[in-house]
Amino acid sequence: MNREKFFLVLMSIFAILFVIAFLNNRAMESSLAEYQKMIRAYELYTNGYYEDFFHYIEQNDLQNLTYLKSLKRNYSEFYIEGLKKCVSGDYEVAIDYFKESLEDVEISNPLYTEILYYLGLSMINAEKYQEAEITLERLLDFKDSIYAQKGLRLLIKLYTKTGNLDRAKEIEKLMEVE
């Protein structure tokens, strides 16, 4: 009888240890799955796929990563996203990215004129001609830049297209003086 009680106690201990190990394993699997989701989210974020990142964290309810939405992104990140959208033909979104990029880049930065050029180009492709004129006119202050020259030629074409031939000729003369 003592031997039976001993084995019963021993079996009970093993059963309890098995249940504890099983529950611990389940918890670890759950944590592992959560960490894998977080790693995937960080990969999206660090590779610059911000729209996919935001969608992914909402889809997977990763509340602990929502703070990344509030971090200020670098102007070059916005610029690169704008270029991607411009190339893919999504000009409205490209405009937003280029505008965001312009808010943070210094005027003395050589990239400034490049951003202005692509912003103007996107505006023209989105048929926002008045905004494009205003944007491309800003390039008159940067005559030494390659992108300023390209932008001013684009502006001449735009003025010609919209019927403002006098202003197109004025800009042509300004470019010839240089």
Side-chain angles (χ1 to χ4, degrees), residues 14-173:
F14 281 121
I16 291 170
L17 289 175
F18 175 78
V19 169
I20 291 171
F22 177 77
L23 292 176
N24 190 31
N25 186 39
R26 284 280 224 205
M28 290 178 70
E29 285 176 353
S30 176
S31 293
L32 179 62
E34 189 72 16
Y35 288 130
Q36 287 173 334
K37 289 178 186 176
M38 289 177 63
I39 289 170
R40 176 67 182 137
Y42 278 119
E43 285 175 352
L44 291 171
Y45 186 81
T46 57
N47 289 323
Y49 301 114
Y50 301 110
E51 292 173 28
D52 294 337
F53 167 77
F54 296 135
H55 178 70
Y56 187 82
I57 63 172
E58 288 175 18
Q59 182 182 23
N60 291 289
D61 196 32
L62 299 172
Q63 296 300 320
N64 52 345
L65 296 182
T66 55
Y67 75 94
L68 291 173
K69 287 183 175 182
S70 64
L71 292 180
K72 189 71 172 163
R73 290 175 18 198
N74 189 314
Y75 69 88
S76 62
E77 293 174 14
F78 288 112
Y79 170 66
I80 290 168
E81 287 298 312
L83 282 178
K84 289 177 187 176
K85 295 299 180 182
C86 185
V87 168
S88 70
D90 194 355
Y91 301 113
E92 294 290 336
V93 176
I95 290 168
D96 292 337
Y97 279 121
F98 289 133
K99 284 181 177 179
E100 191 73 34
S101 182
L102 276 177
E103 288 180 12
D104 294 328
V105 68
E106 297 288 325
I107 293 176
S108 60
N109 188 327
L111 194 57
Y112 185 82
T113 56
E114 191 172 338
I115 296 169
L116 278 176
Y117 168 76
Y118 283 112
L119 174 59
L121 180 65
S122 296
M123 288 173 169
I124 289 171
N125 287 320
E127 298 180 357
K128 295 183 175 190
Y129 300 129
Q130 287 183 324
E131 287 182 62
E133 289 174 6
I134 293 167
T135 299
L136 293 172
E137 282 273 347
R138 292 166 65 185
L139 291 170
L140 286 168
D141 296 330
F142 304 94
K143 296 173 180 120
D144 294 334
S145 166
I146 294 170
Y147 282 97
Q149 295 297 317
K150 289 172 70 171
L152 293 175
R153 285 192 288 278
L154 188 60
L155 183 60
I156 292 168
K157 289 178 186 176
L158 178 59
Y159 278 134
T160 303
K161 180 178 182 175
T162 59
N164 193 347
L165 300 176
D166 292 336
R167 185 63 181 146
K169 289 179 183 175
E170 286 177 30
I171 294 174
E172 281 179 344
K173 287 180 184 176

